[in-house]
């Protein structure tokens, strides 16, 4: 009985100690699921674009990066002591996403789209100075019919409560 009680206390302490550490989703972290779902939506958009609208990278390589990159979340992410939205580690195929900043932008889908685009391009070794993602801003602003024609950009994971966005993305793409 004492051994069982000690084991339960030990597990509770381990869970409490991990509360502030990065979390790997594997389908259980709604922030990770949402980020990947937006990545899949962006990949679908890019794959449907005429080639002249996509310069400097391969939409197929982007789509592959979305499927093969691990996304881990932490409450806050820092780069040189400054809080940032996310960091990517191309050699490790890893994106570290800040939950606080992601949540803060929940009503700004264009910011989320650009963040996801930039982070996955970073995995491909591209967009270090935002040269590609800034062009994408102009593409979205100048060609709203492209977004509507491709579909998906406004239907999955871009508005509503986090549980609604996760459920919507799972309906569109299936469980992560």
């Amino acid at each position: 009985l004492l051994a069982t009680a000690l084991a339960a206390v030990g597990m509770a302490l381990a869970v409490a100690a991990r509360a502030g550490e990065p979390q790997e989703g594997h389908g259980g972290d709604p922030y990770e699921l949402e980020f990947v779902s937006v990545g899949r939506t962006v990949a679908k958009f890019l794959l449907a674009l005429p080639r002249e609208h996509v310069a400097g990278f391969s939409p197929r390589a982007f789509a592959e990066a979305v499927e093969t990159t691990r996304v881990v979340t932490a409450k806050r992410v820092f780069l040189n002591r400054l809080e940032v939205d996310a960091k990517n580690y191309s050699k490790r195929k890893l994106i570290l996403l800040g939950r606080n900043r992601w949540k803060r932008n929940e009503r700004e889908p264009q910011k989320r789209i650009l963040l996801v685009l930039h982070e996955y391009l970073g995995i491909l070794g591209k967009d270090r100075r935002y040269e590609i993602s800034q062009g994408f801003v102009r593409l979205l602003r100048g060609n709203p019919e492209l977004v509507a024609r491709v579909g998906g950009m406004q239907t999955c994971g871009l508005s509503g409560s986090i549980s609604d966005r996760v459920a919507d993305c799972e309906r569109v793409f299936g469980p992560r």
Side-chain angles (χ1 to χ4, degrees):
L1 186 60
L2 180 60
T4 304
L6 288 174
V9 169
M11 286 192 300
L13 289 173
V15 169
R18 286 192 43 97
E21 292 181 10
Q23 296 178 1
E24 279 190 63
H26 303 297
D29 180 349
Y31 294 92
E32 176 262 349
L33 177 63
E34 190 174 34
F35 188 91
V36 172
S37 294
V38 173
R40 288 176 174 162
T41 302
V42 171
K44 180 180 174 185
F45 180 79
L46 293 171
L47 288 165
L49 284 175
R51 187 69 186 138
E52 65 269 13
H53 290 293
V54 182
F57 71 101
S58 160
R60 287 197 193 287
F62 181 92
E64 182 179 323
V66 171
E67 297 305 323
T68 60
T69 299
R70 190 174 58 143
V71 177
V72 177
T73 68
K75 186 174 182 178
R76 299 171 74 192
V77 175
F78 293 91
L79 179 64
N80 299 325
R81 297 189 205 183
L82 296 173
E83 187 174 6
V84 294
D85 296 322
K87 291 194 305 191
N88 62 69
Y89 302 89
S90 59
K91 291 180 181 173
R92 295 171 51 198
K93 293 197 79 167
L94 172 72
I95 294 172
L96 180 59
L97 174 66
R99 294 188 299 271
N100 282 356
R101 303 262 305 228
W102 182 258
K103 174 96 172 120
R104 190 178 310 151
N105 290 326
E106 71 183 333
R107 301 263 181 240
E108 300 186 60
Q110 187 168 339
K111 281 186 178 179
R112 285 185 165 190
I113 290 168
L114 294 173
L115 172 65
V116 168
L117 176 69
H118 174 73
E119 296 306 324
Y120 282 116
L121 286 173
I123 295 297
L124 298 176
K126 310 286 185 181
D127 207 41
R128 294 291 178 213
R129 294 186 181 94
Y130 300 90
E131 64 279 1
I132 297 172
S133 55
Q134 288 306 310
F136 197 69
V137 171
R138 291 187 292 278
L139 177 67
L140 287 176
R141 287 183 186 152
N143 298 288
E145 72 281 357
L146 291 174
V147 176
R149 186 179 74 212
V150 172
M153 288 292 274
Q154 297 177 356
T155 61
C156 172
L158 300 179
S159 64
S161 72
I162 194 158
S163 59
D164 289 343
R165 292 191 306 259
V166 169
D168 188 33
C169 289
E170 286 182 334
R171 280 193 296 279
V172 173
F173 296 109
R176 172 88 167 120

